[in-house]
Every structure is written in C-alpha cells, then in structure tokens.
Amino acid sequence: MSETKIPPVIRLKDLKKRFGIGDAENFALNGIDLTIKKGEFVAIMGPSGCGKTTLLNILGLLDQSIDGDYELDGQPVVSISKRRQARIRSRQIGFIFQNFNLVSRLNVIENVALPLIYKGITRTKRLIIASDILRNFHLNEREYYMPHQLSGGQIQRVAIARALVNEPSIILADEPTGNLDSRSSHVIMEELSDLHKRGNTIIMVTHNPRLTTYASRVITMTDGKIETDTKTTILKRKTSKAKHSPNPRHHNKRASKSRGNKK
Amino acid sequence: MRFLLINHVQNAHQSLKNSRIRSALTMLGIAIGVASVTTILALSGGASKIVSDQVNSLGGNIAVIRPGVTDQSMININSQIQPNHNYATSTLTENDILSIKDTPHIQAVAPIMVLSGSIKADSMAPIGSSIVASTPQLADISDLKLSQGQFLDDSVNQNTAVIGTQLSINVFGTELSLGKTITIRGQSFVIIGVLKTTNNPINYNSIDFDNAVIINFAYGKTLNQKVTQIQQINIKADSITNLSQIIIDINKSLLKNHAGEKDFSVLTGDQIAQPTSQLFYAIAGAMTTIAAVSLVVGGIGIMNIMLVTVAERTREIGIRKALGASNSDIMSQFLIESLSLSIGGGVIGYIIGYLLAFGTSTFLTFDPIINWQIAVVAIIISAVMGTLFGLYPAIRAARKDPIESLHQYD
C-alpha cells in the first residue's frame, strides 16, 4: 500500500467538457472520475467520438475550459497560471500525436530539440541532447533529413524522441501507431513499454485492442464516460461488488484519504 | 530567457531564409522609406553644415546687419528660396555705415550692394551672375582669396573690378582675364584681380562669388543712379569678446538713425546661417512627410506578410504550445520575426539612402553628412515600424488555441 502515500499523478473528479451552448450543448466528456498513479501504463479505448482525444488534451493542459476537478500532482489545475501550465507542459509532459505533428520546415534534429528551447537551453546543448536521444532511436543517420524525407515509422520515432527529450514524467500518446503497419507499431510499442519499465507514466489512446497487451491498465470509454476500467473492476471483484459500470470514486476516496494523512 | 531571445533571432533568421523572395519584397517597403529619410537627413545636414562651418571658420567674430526684421518662422520660406537680392528698397543707408564705422572695436565693415544688370565681355554672362558693389574690406571679412592680381583697394581706379573664376570663364573663355575689359551696365571696367574658386554658392552673403564680379562701392552707387541699395552689411570685430558689446552699440546707434524704428536686424553666429538651414529643414520636413507615408505603406506590408505567416504556421504554433511554449514565447517569436524584417529593411534602406545621397551630391556643391544620429534615426524608425505593425499579428499568433491549431493541416 506504500504507493498510495504519494499523491496520484492525475486525479479527475466529475470532469465534464462541454461544446456549444443552449440547444446545441453537447458533452464530449460527461462526468469522468479517474485516478492515475505514477508509473502506470494506461490504455484508453473506445469508439470514435467518445472523447478520448479530448480527455488527452485536457490531461495535457491544452484545454482549460473544463467543468469539474482536475488535480495534477495533487494541485488543482485551475489554480495554476497559464505561464506555469506552459512550464509544466515543457518539463513534465511529453506529447506523442497521432499525425506526428513535426514542424515541416525544421529538420529532424531541430524538431527533436524543439521542446528544449522552452527550457532555456543553448542551441549547441540542445543539439547534443537531441542527437543523443536520436541515437537511442537509431535515427542518428537521419538527423539532417527533413520530415517529408522519412518513412511513417521513422517520423513517429522522431515524434517519440521529441516527446522524450525533456525527460517528462508523463507521456501522453494519441494513437501513436494509428498510421503505421503492424511491424512499425510493434517497434513503437516496445519503446513505450520500455519507457514504462523505467518508471514513466504513460497514457495512450488507441483503437487497436492488441496494443492493450502492453498496458498495465485498460480503460474503455463511450459517450464521454468511462465504461470499464480493468483496475477498478479487479478491485470491485475483490470487494465483490456490482459487475459493470465501475465506480472509481471508491478508489479516489482512498487516495485522497491517504494524501490527507500524509499532510 | 536570454537564450530564448537568441533562439528567436535564429528562428526568425531561418524562417526568413526559407521564404527569401517574400522577405526581400517585404523589406523593400521599409527600405525605400528609410532610404529617403537617410538621403534627406544626410543632404540637408550637409547643406546646413556648410554655412555654419563658414561662419565658424571666419573666427566667429562676424556679424551681419540685414534690412528688415528677420522673420524666424517657417512661413517666410518662400521668400528665402530666391536669394534675397531683390528688396524693393533697403532700410539700410550710408549713414548707417558711417555710424557702424564709428563704433569701437570694429575691425572691418563691408556693405554689400547687389546690382542687377548685364555683364558683357566676349560673350554675355549667363543669368545668375551677380554684380556686387562693396568695399575693400569684404575680402578680409568674407575671406576671399585671389588667384591673380589684387583685390579692390582705396588706391585703385574706380572703374576696376574683381571677377570670380567661373564668371571669367563664362565671359572671357579663360580664367586668365587679368587686364581685360568687361562691360557692366554699359560701363567698362578693367579686371584687376581674379578670385580663387570658393565653390560654395550657399553662404551667408547669399552670393556665389565664383559667379560674381565685385566693383567699388562708391562707383556701384553711381551706376545705380546714385542710390544706395544695401542688402547687407558685414562687420568684423577685433575679437570675439567684444562682439556682443559691438552688437549692442550698433543696435543703439542704428535705432537712433532710423528714428526709433526697428527695421533692421543684427545677426551673429548661427543666426546668420539660419535662413539657409531653415530652408533646408523645411524641405527636409516636407520630404520626411513623404518618406513617412512610404514607411507606413511598408509597415502595412510587414503586417500583411506576418498575418500570412501566422496563418501558415498555425499548426506549428499548436505544436510549440503543446511542447511547452507560453503565449509570450509565441508572441516574441513572431514579434522578433517582424522586427528582423523591418530592421533588415532599415539597414538596406540606410545603405541605399547613402548611395543616393552621394549620387545626388555629385550634382550639388556639398557633400552629404555622415554621423551616428542618422544611423540611429534609421534603426529607430525601422524598429518602431516592426514593433507597431508586428504587434497585432504576434498577438493573434499568441492567442491561438492549441487544439484548434493542431487540427489545421499544413
């Protein structure tokens, strides 16, 4: 039970995200309760339009207009200034996008070095760090290629290298293998599970059920709500409660209580 | 933060390099504006420097008395575009000259009377040549040097004249005109001296001595139907320290002569140069207004291009924000890009401006002035333009929503 003593990395309570107003009002997320602890590898599954990507954007502090509570490292996000949020994105969060999102006018090494700019690292140091990380991804011979000169698998490896260059503690991956063949997917997933083993928290959105085998916890979503959660389901089974529709609040209470004790 | 600034500069450099033609065209607008400002400032600075240099080189103990009260305002510019030879009647009289001569500490007095009339020898003198009647002391006060012969003095005949080099060439076809005869207003004069080339048509006497013939003051009066028509009286004090006392004395005695009417002005130092430099400042002011218009147009060009750049890079903005760029990071990135456009244009404009100024000065008698003030003005103008017109696109970029930006296709 020692793991519960540290505040969870992410804690969501009745999180809602509304689009439109009045009659056109529509909830992309409709009451999400979720706690993710450090070192978890969470896979979020669900049909298109169920709010997976919206959830990921909110977790990554890109979307601030939310209802409900979001605590990051025990601190409510609403109380963090925009500038500090940008800093958190820079130092603690690594994004891997579905469509890679490399800056097309910059070459590979500059793309990888991009996050380091906002940490205030000098150009030479940036390039050294970026070069080091590219070597880990066996891309050091492609450093000065432009993104359009690379294959899909290589581009995604560059994108992952970029997400990791700041050594973030949380990695948010939005369908990291979405556009790749199964062999490239496998390589990418090996990388991610390697990162997980090194103690990073990984939250991955995916369509592909086979990829969930790499994850330590699988969440399925429908219509802006969490439908199943392997972790709470197991807990529930242990506490022999109802079969479906997990209630993460149970888990949350425990987490917050232990945090309170610590304080 | 310092590194970030350097990075923004590197980034701006790179993105401008990627779209060379577009950047060059955008810079052109600012460059033209700054070039015209630089040209104007360099030339007008050079022109007014000439006059003040003259006054300084004469030792600073020179004063000039002009008829009428000198109007210091800009409205008077039109009358000063023509050299002021054509006063209907001058308020200065021979009596005034005598009173001035009696003032203590006066070293030299030279009244100047510019006559209109024809100058003829082997050929007619071109329009713009002047007949100047003055006393021998003019050579001392206005520092006129001779290449041949002698200047007028009290011992020479009345019908002798000293001629400027250019006029000599114009009427005799040679600058060696010593002893030749010239006809001025129908009277014959013998050339007893040829002036050295002065090559400054802009001076406080408003006379281009290269293009003038100087005759005796008394004889000039005879030529002019015995009427004195004094455009200006130049005086020289025996030392600078006595100059202010002299001015007070002259003002007093002239006021008495003129029955208490203040219809003359005694000018010293920079005041002498003022009508000339005022003229140039007025022209410079008008030209600067035109330059300002081209600068504004150039600035709008920058804003336009920056808005396009921001729209093109919406996705990049989204990526950068997701990777940890704050709003102010994005804003300064685009602001520095527009600044480098405008300052780049400014530097190019500064260089073009000086090329233009030196090109033009080959047709003029003075050189453009080179000083740090003009460089600073050029840089400040372009920096202000870059900030002013780059601010709105930069703010727009900074306010972009990261999620929407990420959805935009490249």
Side-chain angles (χ1 to χ4, degrees):
Chain A
M1 278 327 227
S2 63
E3 56 185 33
T4 54
K5 278 179 185 166
I6 358 163
V9 178
I10 288 165
R11 215 169 77 89
L12 304 176
K13 208 173 161 195
D14 196 26
L15 183 83
K16 285 178 181 170
K17 170 70 189 176
R18 190 176 56 216
F19 284 109
I21 38 166
D23 289 345
E25 198 175 67
N26 168 34
F27 284 94
L29 296 177
N30 197 358
I32 300 243
D33 296 296
L34 180 65
T35 304
I36 296 169
K37 273 180 277 178
K38 193 172 168 6
E40 279 191 289
F41 189 157
V42 183
I44 303 174
M45 303 251 309
S48 294
C50 69
K52 307 185 296 282
T53 303
T54 308
L55 178 63
L56 211 60
N57 286 337
I58 291 169
L59 292 181
L61 301 176
L62 288 178
D63 196 343
Q64 275 120 19
S65 53
I66 49 168
D67 300 319
D69 298 331
Y70 172 19
E71 285 175 23
L72 185 69
D73 280 332
Q75 197 180 9
V77 164
V78 277
S79 69
I80 306 175
S81 72
K82 282 204 167 189
R83 181 169 280 276
R84 275 208 44 224
Q85 288 188 3
R87 239 177 118 126
I88 290 170
R89 281 204 298 276
S90 159
R91 294 173 193 220
Q92 277 170 265
I93 299 173
F95 267 104
I96 303 167
F97 301 97
Q98 176 181 14
N99 36 17
F100 321 131
N101 277 332
L102 298 186
V103 179
S104 55
R105 66 186 179 89
L106 300 179
N107 63 30
V108 166
I109 194 162
E110 283 168 332
N111 260 297
V112 173
L114 205 57
L116 297 170
I117 289 173
Y118 303 106
K119 270 175 98 175
I121 296 172
T122 57
R123 187 180 163 82
T124 327
K125 268 193 188 163
R126 286 205 302 269
L127 293 183
I128 292 169
I129 297 171
S131 182
D132 279 349
I133 199 143
L134 278 171
R135 196 170 302 121
N136 293 342
F137 285 88
H138 310 290
L139 282 164
N140 47 332
E141 281 168 15
R142 300 276 191 276
E143 278 178 6
Y144 293 96
Y145 280 47
M146 298 309 280
H148 64 87
Q149 292 167 313
L150 300 178
S151 72
Q154 285 169 333
I155 292 178
Q156 190 59 304
R157 260 146 60 205
V158 173
I160 294 176
R162 184 179 68 184
L164 300 181
V165 76
N166 268 344
E167 296 169 342
S169 50
I170 306 165
I171 291 152
L172 302 174
D174 189 357
E175 306 209 29
T177 61
N179 292 335
L180 302 178
D181 59 78
S182 60
R183 219 177 117 250
S184 306
S185 301
H186 181 71
V187 174
I188 301 293
M189 289 316 295
E190 283 299 323
E191 296 285 356
L192 284 178
S193 72
D194 209 40
L195 286 170
H196 173 227
K197 276 172 202 147
R198 276 186 260 147
N200 291 299
T201 313
I202 298 174
I203 301 161
M204 177 182 75
V205 164
T206 183
H207 268 314
N208 190 340
R210 275 191 299 172
L211 298 182
T212 57
T213 51
Y214 294 93
S216 65
R217 178 179 174 190
V218 180
I219 293 170
T220 52
M221 285 176 69
T222 24
D223 295 334
K225 284 180 182 146
I226 291 178
E227 200 174 64
T228 60
D229 186 338
T230 50
K231 193 167 186 175
T232 42
T233 315
I234 294 162
L235 277 170
K236 288 226 181 81
R237 274 185 198 143
K238 274 184 185 167
T239 49
S240 66
K241 254 208 154 186
K243 52 225 152 122
H244 227 66
S245 154
N247 183 4
R249 240 174 235 176
H250 173 67
H251 180 74
N252 287 346
K253 259 178 209 158
R254 270 199 341 187
S256 58
K257 219 182 260 171
S258 57
R259 206 174 80 241
N261 290 346
K262 199 185 162 200
K263 276 174 187 170
Chain B
M1 251 357 234
R2 193 170 62 86
F3 297 133
L4 209 53
L5 193 72
I6 296 169
N7 172 73
H8 284 324
V9 173
Q10 288 161 345
N11 186 49
H13 174 246
Q14 193 183 30
S15 78
L16 296 183
K17 220 171 66 182
N18 285 350
S19 48
R20 272 204 192 87
I21 295 175
R22 189 205 273 182
S23 313
L25 287 175
T26 314
M27 281 183 189
L28 200 62
I30 290 291
I32 291 171
V34 171
S36 40
V37 170
T38 308
T39 312
I40 293 157
L41 290 182
L43 286 180
S44 64
S48 45
K49 190 171 172 285
I50 282 187
V51 182
S52 51
D53 277 359
Q54 277 169 13
V55 176
N56 291 339
S57 69
L58 296 173
N61 52 349
I62 300 282
V64 168
I65 301 149
R66 288 191 178 134
V69 178
T70 306
D71 192 350
Q72 305 281 358
S73 76
M74 292 297 216
I75 300 158
N76 214 16
I77 288 309
N78 286 335
S79 65
Q80 281 160 350
I81 286 172
Q82 287 114 18
N84 37 2
H85 298 163
N86 313 328
Y87 288 112
T89 43
S90 169
T91 53
L92 299 174
T93 63
E94 277 182 280
N95 207 12
D96 293 336
I97 301 171
L98 293 176
S99 327
I100 292 165
K101 274 183 180 157
D102 290 341
T103 314
H105 303 300
I106 290 266
Q107 196 191 326
V109 179
I112 291 177
M113 178 156 122
V114 180
L115 303 171
S116 42
S118 61
I119 306 167
K120 211 160 70 179
D122 298 347
S123 57
M124 283 287 287
I127 295 163
S129 314
S130 350
I131 308 162
V132 180
S134 188
T135 58
Q137 286 167 325
L138 180 66
D140 179 28
I141 297 175
S142 292
D143 200 26
L144 298 173
K145 300 252 166 43
L146 292 150
S147 60
Q148 301 162 57
Q150 63 159 106
F151 200 73
L152 304 168
D153 66 35
D154 296 332
S155 63
V156 299
N157 270 342
Q158 287 224 318
N159 58 346
T160 50
V162 174
I163 195 167
T165 321
Q166 189 55 47
L167 184 60
S168 170
I169 293 169
N170 287 346
V171 295
F172 296 111
T174 169
E175 48 189 282
L176 307 166
S177 53
L178 214 58
K180 293 190 176 170
T181 308
I182 190 165
T183 312
I184 300 166
R185 283 187 120 172
Q187 302 287 321
S188 297
F189 289 82
V190 176
I191 305 287
I192 58 163
V194 180
L195 292 174
K196 261 190 186 165
T197 316
T198 54
N199 201 19
N200 45 15
I202 301 156
N203 58 43
Y204 66 92
N205 287 315
S206 305
I207 296 163
D208 181 6
F209 282 109
D210 287 344
N211 239 324
V213 59
I214 304 165
I215 59 171
N216 194 293
F217 185 73
Y219 199 61
K221 187 182 150 195
T222 320
L223 267 186
N224 202 26
Q225 280 83 35
K226 298 227 172 359
V227 177
T228 45
Q229 177 72 316
I230 301 164
Q231 267 78 34
Q232 180 170 314
I233 302 170
N234 295 351
I235 58 171
K236 190 177 184 180
D238 55 3
S239 76
I240 298 176
T241 44
N242 292 328
L243 190 64
S244 50
Q245 186 54 45
I246 286 175
I247 289 164
I248 295 166
D249 290 346
I250 289 177
N251 264 319
K252 238 184 257 170
S253 55
L254 288 197
L255 213 54
K256 214 171 77 192
N257 288 352
H258 291 224
E261 190 87 12
K262 177 93 171 110
D263 51 4
F264 60 91
S265 32
V266 183
L267 308 170
T268 54
D270 286 341
Q271 287 176 316
I272 302 174
Q274 215 157 30
T276 336
S277 33
Q278 242 178 19
L279 164 68
F280 275 100
Y281 284 134
I283 294 174
M287 297 286 278
T288 310
T289 317
I290 297 166
V293 173
S294 64
L295 278 174
V296 169
V297 173
I300 292 169
I302 286 191
M303 192 194 269
N304 194 13
I305 284 302
M306 287 314 295
L307 284 173
V308 171
T309 310
V310 169
E312 274 181 354
R313 284 204 223 138
T314 304
R315 195 188 173 100
E316 182 186 324
I317 294 166
I319 297 170
R320 283 179 184 268
K321 279 196 170 180
L323 297 179
S326 65
N327 283 4
S328 55
D329 288 334
I330 299 290
M331 182 158 148
S332 42
Q333 182 192 334
F334 283 94
L335 203 55
I336 284 170
E337 200 166 318
S338 73
L339 265 177
S340 25
L341 270 175
S342 69
I343 290 180
V347 170
I348 294 168
Y350 180 72
I351 295 166
I352 294 175
Y354 263 110
L355 291 179
L356 269 177
F358 277 104
T360 319
S361 72
T362 55
F363 303 106
L364 301 172
T365 49
F366 53 89
D367 290 329
I369 192 169
I370 297 180
N371 60 18
W372 60 269
Q373 284 99 330
I374 296 177
V376 169
V377 165
I379 294 300
I380 287 178
I381 286 177
S382 41
V384 166
M385 286 294 142
T387 318
L388 209 63
F389 290 98
L391 206 57
Y392 172 65
I395 290 173
R396 243 175 98 122
R399 289 205 182 141
K400 283 209 184 284
D401 180 61
I403 298 165
E404 280 173 31
S405 306
L406 281 170
H407 284 286
Q408 205 202 42
Y409 288 97
D410 266 334

